[in-house]
Each structure stands twice: as C-alpha cells, then as structure tokens.
Amino acid sequence: MPQRASVLREVTGLKTLKILAQRNSKLFFKDKGMFFSSLITPILLLVLYTTFLKKVFDDSFRSALEAAGATVADSVLNGVVGGQLISSLLAVSCVTVAFCSNLLMIKDKTSGARHDLPIAPVRPSPMACGYYLASLLSSLFITFTAAAVFLGYLACVGWYLTAGDVLGLLLDVFLLTMFGTALSSCINFWLTTDGQASAVGTIVSAGYGFICGAYMPISNFGTGLQRGLSFLPGTYGTSLLRNHAMGGAFAEMAKLGFPGEVVKAIRDSVDCNLYFFDHQVSGTQMYLILVGSILLLVGLYVVINRIAGRRGAR
C-alpha cells in the first residue's frame, strides 16, 4: 500500500506539472505585449548591431590582420565578423529573454493567483517546475526563432558553417536558454512587484552582456577581471557560441594559408579560446561547466520553493 500511494503521488505530480506548464505557457503567449517584445528584441538588436557596429568590427579585424602582414577576402572577413555578432546577440538573448518570459511568476504574485494555487492540493515542487518548464518552452521558442534569423543573416554576409557547426550552435542556444531560465527563476522567486521585476530586467539587460564577454571579449579586460569572470558559467556559453559561429571562417583562413599563430591570436582575442588561470579550457570542459551550473541552479530553485512551501504550510 505505501508503494502504491507513492506511485499515485508521482502520477498526480506529473499531471499537475503538465497542467501548470500548459497554463503558464498559454498565459505567456496570450500576453501579446510580453510575447512580441521578447521576440522582437533580439532581431532589433541585430539591426542595431549591423547598422552601427559592423563597420567597427570590420575595421578592427582588418587592422589586426594588416598589422600581422596578412590580407583576407571580404567574404571571409564578413564570416568572421558576422559570426562574432550573432554569437554575441545569442549569448545575451538566451538569458535576457528568459527573464522576460519568467515575469509570469511575478504577475501571479501581484494578481494574487500565486496565493490561490496552494489552496488546491498542489505541492511546491510541481508548482516550481511548472513555472520553470513554461518559461523554458516560451524562451526556447523565441531564442530558436532568433537563431534562425541570425543564421539567415550569416548566410547573406558570409557562410562558412558546417552542419556540425549549426547543430553545435543550436545545442549551445538550448543549454544557455536552460541556464538563463534557471537563473531567472532563482532571482525572480524573491521579487514581489512589477517595479522590482523591471529593475532586475534592466540591470540584467545592461550588465550581463559585459560580464559574459558578449559585448566586449574578456581578453580585453585586465588580468584580475579576466580571472574573476572565468568563474562565471555564462562566459563559457558565450565561448561555445563563438566557436561554432566563427569556427568555419577560421578554418577557411587556415586553408588560405594564414599562419597558425595568427589564427590562434585572433581566436584568443575574441574568446574562442578561454583560459582559466593560464590553463586553456577545452570545449568538453565548457559543456560540463554549463550543464553543471544548470543542474545546480534548477536544484537550488526547487529547494527554495520547498522551503517556502513548508513555511507557508506552517
């Protein structure tokens, strides 16, 4: 009998999780303002970057190559610059979009719906996972749509990606979106008003791109700051995106006869190669760090909800 009761609780918990995830997802897509602003923001950033920063990136790469006594065709240069642009935008969007899609958690608090749900026989864990899954699915829809648009842009300016590069980039987007959703879930749990949510969203949008190396490669920072940022998981997510978005263009440069040290220097300058206290971090290690941080944050989020649920029950 105890075993049967345990199985029934698990089945009930899964049904509850499914219902809550569907409910939260529908509410997100029903809010047209939240949905379209989350969807348009990454594309708008692409327009702004290509309009105002592409020439700066072009001139920077070209001057660095000329200093090394090398020249490169415009198509290859566009492939390198385009890869850096889309990897930067995806690295930021996967996290900032997650904070937008996770606002429903706070809206339920301000509307009172969050306080009504525990009246029903809903345990804290399925409720927490319902918010997480709904935010993850909503964010993935937007980030994968943005990735498709960005890849279309790269195909127009300079395409050197292989099928493996594309699949790797999509995997990076998936993992970074999971990371962003877990991070936003842990932070948004403590917020109780729309003003707090707006303030946190502004801080994340303004600051995350710098600390993850998206807006400016961390190789441009001082040694102390580089070592400090090497402890942050988002830094490795950005590097993985860089490698998959720019790897084909670097391979083409090697085919054209570029010296290996020149290609390595460029890879170092854009954070394709990351170093943890002078030790180069491999791609496998980057994935392990990113996956480990996701599991840690999701576990922390569930534990926080369980503790809060027990206190509420008392």
Side-chain angles (χ1 to χ4, degrees):
M1 289 296 291
Q3 186 176 4
R4 182 181 178 185
S6 177
V7 172
L8 287 174
R9 282 197 300 269
E10 290 181 5
V11 173
T12 303
L14 291 174
K15 288 183 178 179
T16 303
L17 175 60
K18 180 180 178 181
I19 292 170
L20 288 173
Q22 289 177 340
R23 175 251 182 194
N24 295 339
S25 298
K26 288 179 180 178
L27 287 177
F28 174 78
F29 287 106
K30 187 177 180 180
D31 189 338
K32 303 301 182 184
M34 185 187 300
F35 169 66
F36 283 112
S37 63
S38 300
L39 183 62
I40 292 174
T41 298
I43 300 173
L44 180 61
L45 286 174
L46 176 64
V47 174
L48 293 174
Y49 262 62
T50 54
T51 303
F52 297 103
L53 291 179
K54 183 178 182 301
K55 189 176 185 303
V56 176
F57 279 47
D58 284 345
D59 293 342
S60 175
F61 274 107
R62 203 180 294 277
S63 60
L65 291 172
E66 290 176 354
T71 57
V72 65
D74 288 341
S75 60
V76 178
L77 182 64
N78 287 334
V80 173
V81 173
Q84 184 178 8
L85 283 175
I86 70 168
S87 60
S88 298
L89 296 179
L90 284 173
V92 175
S93 298
C94 288
V95 174
T96 55
V97 166
F99 272 84
C100 291
S101 64
N102 222 338
L103 289 177
L104 179 62
M105 184 192 305
I106 303 170
K107 286 193 172 185
D108 277 353
K109 292 179 182 178
T110 57
S111 66
R114 183 67 174 79
H115 302 290
D116 295 337
L117 288 174
I119 297 175
V122 180
R123 291 186 300 166
S125 296
M127 189 184 301
C129 293
Y131 281 117
Y132 177 81
L133 286 178
S135 298
L136 177 62
L137 293 174
S138 303
S139 300
L140 285 174
F141 178 84
I142 295 171
T143 53
F144 277 132
T145 300
V149 173
F150 294 165
L151 288 174
Y153 164 77
L154 195 60
C156 294
V157 299
W159 181 273
Y160 292 95
L161 274 63
T162 63
D165 291 332
V166 175
L167 291 176
L169 185 142
L170 295 178
L171 174 61
D172 300 339
V173 170
F174 177 75
L175 292 176
L176 263 179
T177 305
M178 288 190 69
F179 169 75
T181 306
L183 179 63
S184 63
S185 297
C186 290
I187 293 176
N188 286 359
F189 176 85
W190 306 102
L191 308 182
T192 56
T193 67
D194 293 335
Q196 292 174 354
S198 177
V200 169
T202 301
I203 293 172
V204 172
S205 299
Y208 180 78
F210 288 100
I211 64 175
C212 76
Y215 294 153
M216 181 182 296
I218 65 172
S219 60
N220 294 337
F221 299 149
T223 302
L225 190 55
Q226 287 184 39
R227 291 180 175 177
L229 295 178
S230 66
F231 286 94
L232 302 180
T235 302
Y236 300 100
T238 303
S239 182
L240 287 169
L241 284 169
R242 287 260 201 272
N243 278 284
H244 289 125
M246 305 175 70
F250 288 138
E252 182 65 20
M253 292 171 66
K255 290 180 183 178
L256 295 175
F258 275 69
E261 59 272 15
V262 173
V263 176
K264 182 180 181 299
I266 298 176
R267 292 176 64 89
D268 287 346
S269 68
V270 295
D271 292 343
C272 284
N273 296 332
L274 277 183
Y275 299 88
F276 184 81
F277 288 84
D278 300 327
H279 170 74
Q280 184 171 346
V281 183
S282 67
T284 301
Q285 290 172 328
M286 292 182 190
Y287 276 119
L288 290 175
I289 293 170
L290 192 55
V291 172
S293 65
I294 293 169
L295 294 176
L296 178 63
L297 288 172
V298 171
L300 177 62
Y301 173 60
V302 173
V303 169
I304 291 172
N305 276 271
R306 281 187 174 180
I307 294 174
R310 289 171 183 171
R311 289 179 177 176
R314 295 174 186 173

